[in-house]
Amino acid sequence: MPRPILATIHSDALRHNLSRTRAQVPNARVWAVVKANAYGHGIENVYDALRGADGFALLDIAEAQRLRQLGWRGPILLLEGAFELRDLEWCSRLDLWHTVHCAEQIDWLATHKTQVPHRVFLKLNSGMNRLGFKPDAYRSAWTRLNALPQVDEISLMTHFSDADGARGIAHQMAVFDAASTDLAGARTVSNSAAVLRHAPNAPTVAADWVRAGIALYGSAPDFPHGDAALWDLQPTMTLSAQLLALQHLAPGDTVGYGSTFVAPETMAIGVVSCGYADGYPRHANGALDAGTPVLVDGIRTRVVGRVSMDMLTVDLRPVVAARGALPAMGAEVVLWGRSASGAVLLIDEVAYASGTVAYELMCAIAPRVPVQVAAVDQP
Ligand SMILES: *Cc1c(COP(=O)(O)O)cnc(C)c1O
């Protein structure tokens, strides 16, 4: 029998979240961002549910190739563009649209031999200071690109640093609007947080294309201020395991490496077939005194003791309190996502309790975890 751990991808939830994204910005086209192997879900596992998007955005040419092999003929955008001159060959061959964020990428284009001119997205650094041309260099970059026979349409792009937070996007929108006035081309500025929080009443923020990632995967980018219920998003990934063993503790007994948990009373703990080598955060249990939440048979409890490579341990007192009995060996443990009972544990809660974000947890699902796609959601 394979080790009892499983990641389940929920196709219905992906479809729901895509239509929620569209409803926020009904006049925009939607890039489904599937970088990092679809945020850890697997490009092949999300493709069917997300093919209703207008395009796919990612970073890796190998991932773009996989999308073409799956049969996607629509737009694919490389969010960081070419990493070297030879990448432009792949852009020609696979018909990829690509970001241009620096002068070297324009130099490469100028020497690239292609039958078909490329669609490019010229990136403005409007304050994030990662990729893009500074405002005073933006217009001349556009003019240079526009003169190249290798270039077809030029679209305009920037990225927000604080769409999910208090600082907001107004300062960057002002920079973008000023730098791009009079420049022809479709615009794309919004990530998920901007789509949810800022775009609905602002046509220039929704603009022509939005780039939605995390919202498609059911996480609220502004958790805990916003959450999946507020934004009407559904969890797209369940990580589930089982109880491998139960231990009965006397007061003063300790659990796991470093003996960090000390039983305050007679109690039982459950040993779960999931550890940090599966992608579960080792620092779970660190950030909040209440411990990182888990569901045992759909009942909410928490991690106690240190997370180890292949196992973690959970407090069974809440299960006994709810049920009047201990769970059985092999009982379902949901680390995040949906329980067979219908109970949901948001990945955002687990991330928050572990001092990280849902993005990191999704992307960190380890290769040893088997993945199954659930076409229809469990009741
Ligand atoms: C990853 C990424 C996105 C998507 O961000 P989310 O917060 O997941 O919506 C959008 N634009 C760019 C340039 C990105 O790199």
Side-chain angles (χ1 to χ4, degrees):
M1 180 182 156
R3 187 165 161 263
I5 184 163
L6 183 66
T8 304
I9 308 303
H10 304 290
S11 299
D12 283 12
L14 287 160
R15 283 195 192 89
H16 169 87
N17 297 338
L18 175 59
S19 70
R20 273 290 300 130
T21 301
R22 281 206 185 283
Q24 289 290 109
V25 288
N27 299 318
R29 280 174 287 173
V30 175
W31 293 107
V33 180
V34 293
K35 62 190 179 188
N37 201 22
Y39 290 47
H41 290 61
I43 287 181
E44 287 76 9
N45 299 326
V46 303
Y47 174 66
D48 220 43
L50 296 183
R51 64 198 295 178
D54 299 293
F56 288 95
L58 40 65
L59 315 177
D60 260 311
I61 289 171
E63 290 186 342
Q65 197 165 18
R66 279 158 60 196
L67 276 172
R68 290 291 185 230
Q69 280 160 1
L70 287 165
W72 178 253
R73 290 169 180 236
I76 298 179
L77 173 62
L78 296 179
L79 289 166
E80 295 179 351
F83 300 106
E84 58 171 333
L85 174 58
R86 280 197 324 193
D87 291 346
L88 295 178
E89 300 287 337
W90 284 105
C91 291
S92 293
R93 204 174 304 171
L94 297 171
D95 186 18
L96 308 181
W97 301 3
H98 52 99
T99 299
V100 171
H101 65 76
C102 63
E104 290 77 1
Q105 290 176 326
I106 304 181
D107 299 340
W108 297 337
L109 265 168
T111 64
H112 177 53
K113 292 189 178 48
T114 184
Q115 315 289 342
V116 186
H118 291 194
R119 171 91 178 247
V120 297
F121 280 65
L122 180 61
K123 186 150 185 180
L124 175 73
N125 172 8
S126 58
M128 176 92 160
N129 285 311
R130 263 181 355 185
L131 299 182
F133 291 88
K134 284 272 170 62
D136 60 3
Y138 196 62
R139 192 162 292 264
S140 61
W142 189 94
T143 307
R144 230 190 120 196
L145 277 176
N146 196 43
L148 293 181
Q150 290 90 344
V151 171
D152 176 24
E153 237 180 287
I154 306 172
S155 301
L156 312 179
M157 174 177 181
T158 197
H159 193 55
F160 297 131
S161 56
D162 290 82
D164 57 336
R167 194 172 179 211
I169 63 168
H171 60 297
Q172 284 185 269
M173 274 310 288
V175 173
F176 180 76
D177 288 343
S180 63
T181 331
D182 305 335
L183 292 183
R187 268 95 170 133
T188 175
V189 298
S190 287
N191 57 2
S192 296
V195 167
L196 295 172
R197 291 165 57 105
H198 304 289
N201 302 311
T204 59
V205 177
D208 303 299
W209 289 86
V210 298
R211 308 184 302 270
I214 198 71
L216 299 179
Y217 306 102
S219 156
D222 55 352
F223 188 86
H225 305 287
D227 62 17
L230 175 70
W231 300 123
D232 184 17
L233 300 171
Q234 296 176 2
T236 58
M237 179 194 282
T238 293
L239 179 63
S240 58
Q242 291 182 7
L243 285 187
L244 290 178
L246 282 75
Q247 297 292 343
H248 298 273
L249 306 181
D253 283 352
T254 64
V255 177
Y257 290 120
S259 304
T260 54
F261 180 75
V262 183
E265 59 184 336
T266 300
M267 62 180 283
I269 57 150
V271 182
V272 179
S273 54
C274 176
Y276 62 77
D278 300 301
Y280 195 83
R282 184 172 172 279
H283 295 288
N285 201 24
L288 293 184
D289 284 346
T292 303
V294 300
L295 303 176
V296 176
D297 275 343
I299 298 162
R300 201 177 164 102
T301 178
R302 64 183 183 124
V303 173
V304 292
R306 272 193 200 154
V307 173
S308 50
M309 184 183 285
D310 311 308
M311 285 175 269
L312 56 81
T313 38
V314 297
D315 186 350
L316 292 180
R317 287 175 295 179
V319 185
V320 174
R323 278 259 204 82
L326 282 168
M329 277 272 300
E332 177 207 60
V333 179
V334 167
L335 289 317
W336 57 73
R338 307 173 195 186
S339 139
S341 71
V344 168
L345 174 57
L346 296 176
I347 191 169
D348 291 323
E349 291 182 75
V350 180
Y352 187 68
S354 315
T356 185
V357 288
Y359 298 77
E360 188 182 19
L361 297 187
M362 292 173 182
C363 293
I365 285 285
R368 79 175 186 181
V369 177
V371 181
Q372 94 181 358
V373 178
V376 178
D377 293 345
Q378 298 113 333

